[in-house]
Amino acid sequence: MPGVPTYEQLAADNGELKALVVELREANRVLLARVSALEAQMGKNSRNSSKPPSSDGLAKPPPRSLRRASGRKPGKGKGDPGFRLEPRPDPDQVRTHSPVVCRGWWAGLECAPVVAQVARQVFDLPPIALVVTEHRAERRKCACGRVSAAAFPAQASAPTCYGPGVAALGAYLLGRQHLPVERAAEAMADCFGAPVSTGYLATLLPAAAKRLQGFLEAVRARLAVAAVAHFDETGARVDARLRWVHVAANDTATLYHLAGSRGRSAMDDAGVLPTFIGVAVHDGLATYRQFTDAEHGLCNAHHLRELAGIGEITGQDWPTELAELLVSIHAAVLAAKATGATALDLAALARFEARYDELLATGQRCNPPPPRTGKRGRPKLGPPAALLARLLAHRADVLRFATNFDVPFDNNQAERDIRMVKLQQKISGGWRSETGAKAFLDVRSYLSTASKHRQHHLAVLRDLFQGQPWTPTLASP
């Protein structure tokens, strides 16, 4: 009959429809993957990812901690020493206050005996002003007719100049307290009676950095042979261009390094990792894996945040259970350390590892890898599968803190040390030159290391400007 399609036409149409279904199914899969990725990106914050808290804006989420409740009430515990302003046995001044008349009979008390005293001490600052010392170099004439002149001390470098104490204070305000130059000049004039110029202040950190080369080499050498060291990096704006600040640190030393990248050459130039054979704790940046002589420990604080984010987005249970497992292992390690143990019980460690493997297997079943599409390259795994692959491939590094009690649970040491660099950028927005950036980082290395040895910051800066930089006695690895 006319108008009735033939079998061949129906077969052709059916083939086209099948091809269209396959095409639409693939497009739907791609779109679903994009939607999931965008939802994951929109759901990220400082609580469930590595984004900084400053990126949360007004939608900052409430704080959340995976620490277990200790059962202790907030505040000072019973029996804890606490802290208060203790009276001094040798006050600088003593002022005695006597009653003039009796409050009962209103009689004079000038000749009345003293039966008791109650003391109160007021701690206050005296008016602060510059102390000007004039150095006079005599010239004396010998009987032979020759005139000999005395030398001025090194600090008297001009007819009028500021001494090492003023220089130390200026460098402290810039390098430790992160004040901009103009505000530092204002603070020195208002608080200390030192009306310095901004130009003078701008010279202090570069001048200090020139005196620190020996110190920096000593810290670099000691970190290179440490049993455990922490590494991290962060972006920085220098001369309106992106640069990277690398940090190598442990609980006794800090070393910052400015570089143009996060790559191997930058880490080589920093001078610690090329010969490092201890445990390098970091956040998993692939470049660190190129240093094969070192063992590696991964930051589990990063893992806890990633697991929290994946659990919130996917609604799956394994991320929360894995996070709780990591926290439980950490608690077991801390409890073992408190008893003086140097390792976990082997049976307990085996149970933890078996549970770890079980949860990873569950995660992989819930998040199978995407099918190949015929295109070149591997399809993107997505956040859950990518994290699972990393936790499986680097299982020993994730659990390094449980098998080596010298290795911490996280990389907080490096993150705390590098946080001050981010604070400097928030205040100033960056550095105008590489010379200024390197000077700040060198002085910050000096002050951070001094702080870890409980040294007075102004004292070590004064020593530095007097030509005798403080040098730490670092513990042997």
Side-chain angles (χ1 to χ4, degrees), residues 112-138:
V114 177
V115 296
Q117 278 187 335
V118 178
R120 294 182 179 181
Q121 293 187 353
V122 177
F123 291 69
D124 201 358
L125 289 172
I128 301 175
L130 291 176
V131 175
V132 179
T133 302
E134 182 172 287
H135 295 272
R136 298 176 179 178
E138 294 182 338

Side-chain angles (χ1 to χ4, degrees), residues 243-261:
R243 292 290 183 267
W244 293 91
V245 175
H246 295 252
V247 64
N250 57 19
D251 59 351
T252 62
T254 308
L255 183 70
Y256 298 101
H257 174 70
L258 182 68
S261 72

Side-chain angles (χ1 to χ4, degrees), residues 174-245:
L174 298 174
R176 178 68 184 178
Q177 298 302 333
H178 308 280
L179 288 186
V181 173
E182 288 187 2
R183 288 181 58 193
E186 181 180 335
M188 293 188 70
D190 292 347
C191 301
F192 307 103
V196 300
S197 68
T198 56
Y200 167 76
L201 285 178
T203 67
L204 292 180
L205 294 185
K210 289 181 180 179
R211 304 166 186 257
L212 286 174
Q213 297 312 305
F215 166 85
L216 295 173
E217 287 302 322
V219 170
R220 183 177 289 109
R222 182 55 64 176
L223 283 171
V225 297
V228 177
H230 298 254
F231 300 89
D232 201 1
E233 69 292 323
T234 187
R237 287 288 171 184
V238 181
D239 191 20
R241 293 180 293 174
L242 177 63
R243 292 290 183 267
W244 293 91
V245 175

